[in-house]
Amino acid sequence: MATLTQLYARIILDTNRDDLNAGGELEQAKIDAVADAIETWADELFWFNRTTGVVTTVPNIATAAIPAGMRSATIISYHAAALRKVPVENLERSFDPANIVKGQPTEWAAYLDELSFYPTPDAAYALVVYGTADLGVPATSNAWTVEGYRLILATAKKILCRGSLRDPDGLALARDEEQEALDKLRRETRRRAGAPRSIELPVNPPAFNIVTG
């Protein structure tokens, strides 16, 4: 299992730059490059950064916070039936006191860290939310330094070569490595996905394990 420290060490090895070491002039650039690399791919749904959560609506309230630990929602279901995702502006009617419709939500939209529903819930509905986990930069290791290791390594080197290191040859190599790593992760994600989640949704899905899938 690769760690953040091992990822840093591999960046130094591949770039052959001692000034990226701890205490070196470019140590912070290395740290920032890894953080930026993770942020670059944080919104893409891979098999290892999927997560699920449950949101229980409050009667007469049309919004709810996204589940803790989730970066973005992709599917919301109620009793295995998916709600329809719509642009957030389509739900403006939910906030018009003169035109409030209440009932079991059938549509949803996302805005920042909130989920909006239509109709406005008239009861407490336990909605299952599927989405992308907010993994962030690990203290020691997480899925980005394990399953996503090659992608983050290549992207971090690309960022460094394009910026602090000013290395066009290294940049070209890193871009090739990044594309290869990304293609591989996307193929593996498609292989593991099987039928789209929107086709058949479990009523009470287990929490997604980012290590075993």
Side-chain angles (χ1 to χ4, degrees):
M1 179 181 291
T3 65
L4 184 62
T5 299
Q6 290 170 323
L7 179 60
Y8 287 154
R10 182 58 185 269
I11 291 172
I12 296 168
L13 177 66
D14 286 359
T15 57
N16 194 28
R17 292 290 296 256
D18 290 339
D19 50 0
L20 293 172
N21 273 306
E25 183 180 354
L26 296 180
E27 178 190 11
Q28 190 60 49
K30 173 195 66 184
I31 294 170
D32 291 345
V34 169
D36 290 346
I38 289 173
E39 182 64 22
T40 296
W41 300 110
D43 288 320
E44 178 146 353
L45 189 64
F46 299 107
W47 86 90
F48 57 79
N49 66 341
R50 293 173 178 167
T51 189
T52 60
V54 175
V55 165
T56 301
T57 62
V58 177
N60 305 316
I61 301 296
T63 61
I66 195 169
M70 186 175 289
R71 183 180 177 92
S72 60
T74 54
I75 295 173
I76 298 180
S77 70
Y78 182 65
H79 286 288
L83 278 63
R84 187 165 70 98
K85 185 177 183 180
V86 299
V88 67
E89 56 266 23
N90 286 22
L91 298 190
E92 289 179 357
R93 61 189 184 279
S94 300
F95 305 99
D96 182 356
N99 296 294
I100 289 181
V101 176
K102 298 181 181 180
Q104 177 189 316
T106 58
E107 297 179 352
W108 72 280
Y111 180 70
L112 299 178
D113 293 328
E114 277 196 335
L115 305 173
S116 300
F117 305 105
Y118 180 85
T120 296
D122 61 347
Y125 295 97
L127 307 177
V128 180
V129 183
Y130 300 79
T132 307
D134 190 9
L135 300 178
V137 180
T140 53
S141 67
N142 66 9
W144 288 123
T145 64
V146 182
E147 287 85 356
Y149 175 85
R150 292 289 177 184
L151 179 62
I152 300 308
L153 172 64
T155 302
K157 288 191 296 184
K158 184 185 75 172
I159 291 169
L160 284 168
C161 290
R162 186 175 54 197
S164 302
L165 303 187
R166 295 291 191 270
D167 179 0
D169 291 336
L171 174 59
L173 290 172
R175 280 175 171 162
D176 288 344
E177 292 173 9
E178 179 187 54
Q179 190 60 56
E180 289 174 3
L182 180 60
D183 289 344
K184 184 176 181 180
L185 288 182
R186 285 173 173 170
R187 285 196 302 271
E188 182 64 13
T189 297
R190 288 193 296 269
R191 186 187 72 80
R192 292 179 181 236
R197 286 174 177 260
S198 57
I199 301 299
E200 184 177 354
L201 298 171
V203 176
N204 295 303
F208 191 90
N209 188 310
I210 64 173
V211 176
T212 60

